[in-house]
Amino acid sequence: MTNIAIFVSGNGTNCENIIKYFSNNDKVNVSIVISNRPDAYAIVRAAKYGVPCTVLSKTEINDEATIMPLLQKYDVDFIVLAGFMLMVPEFLTNKFNRRIVNIHPSLLPKFGGKGMYGHHVHEAVKAAGETETGITIHFVSNICDGGEIIAQFKTPLSPADTPEDIEAKVHILEQQHFPEVIETTIKSLID
């Protein structure tokens, strides 16, 4: 059994989708959800499925003596960032090398890096007049949005699309593809 920790900061639609996807899986289990924000709705979503949730401050997440025992307690083998708004500390990227994945709401390397998240990305895509956008699922490194790309999925855009339309199109791709790519990535580590 591979145990996943999902790191969240916000609404949690991807978190909930991942939990539902693996709910009857005998090889992969979501063992804990960790949030850096006590008001993250992702906590409510995870609790609805009986997944343990913990809130840690940025300081606690960056403290190896705090977070590593928690991950060990839940036998975490793999970490998924699903709307997590902090950089992952280097000790975690080293310990979980090629076992931490993130989803980004654009086709990296376009519209990535510090400050490029959520609506900021969609507004930048619109302002640039892009004819397509999508999602990038990538390994997490010590460079913001700089880890090796695992998969990208695209959607066409029209000049009439607003940032909200772009966000809706990207959200559809996230819901369709993120859990499957997580499962495939985990399988490739085990095989």
Side-chain angles (χ1 to χ4, degrees):
M1 178 69 74
T2 299
N3 288 311
I4 297 175
I6 304 177
F7 286 28
V8 298
S9 296
N11 189 30
T13 54
N14 279 317
C15 176
E16 182 174 14
N17 192 34
I18 294 163
I19 292 168
K20 286 193 316 193
Y21 184 87
F22 290 113
S23 64
N24 294 313
N25 190 304
D26 59 356
K27 293 190 168 83
V28 179
N29 172 56
V30 176
S31 62
I32 187 169
V33 170
I34 298 173
S35 177
N36 66 305
R37 293 186 43 204
D39 61 341
Y41 194 70
I43 296 167
V44 175
R45 291 178 188 273
K48 183 169 66 172
Y49 295 93
V51 176
C53 303
T54 299
V55 177
L56 298 177
S57 68
K58 181 178 180 179
T59 302
E60 290 170 318
I61 289 168
N62 286 305
D63 179 26
E64 191 168 358
T66 300
I67 198 164
M68 289 308 296
L70 179 65
L71 296 175
Q72 289 162 354
K73 176 182 175 183
Y74 288 93
D75 290 324
V76 172
D77 308 295
F78 197 84
I79 298 171
V80 175
L81 308 184
F84 186 63
M85 305 315 291
L86 299 177
M87 285 291 292
V88 174
E90 189 171 351
F91 69 82
L92 268 184
T93 58
N94 289 339
K95 174 82 175 162
F96 288 87
N97 183 37
R98 296 180 65 80
R99 290 185 291 133
I100 306 176
V101 297
N102 183 41
I103 188 166
H104 186 78
S106 76
L107 299 171
L108 291 175
K110 288 183 171 184
F111 311 106
K114 189 171 167 58
M116 293 305 283
Y117 60 90
H119 69 91
H120 300 289
V121 174
H122 309 307
E123 288 168 358
V125 167
K126 173 68 176 171
E130 295 290 316
T131 58
E132 67 178 5
T133 192
I135 59 170
T136 302
I137 300 161
H138 63 93
F139 288 113
V140 174
S141 71
N142 295 322
I143 299 165
C144 185
D145 296 328
E148 177 189 340
I149 293 172
I150 300 166
Q152 291 185 313
F153 300 93
K154 299 176 181 179
T155 185
L157 299 177
S158 78
D161 284 336
T162 65
E164 293 76 22
D165 296 330
I166 295 168
E167 180 179 23
K169 289 180 176 187
V170 166
H171 185 70
I172 289 167
L173 293 178
E174 291 172 344
Q175 296 292 294
Q176 286 176 335
H177 299 290
F178 196 20
E180 289 176 2
V181 172
I182 293 166
E183 183 175 38
T184 303
T185 304
I186 289 171
K187 275 185 181 175
S188 73
L189 295 171
I190 296 167
D191 294 344

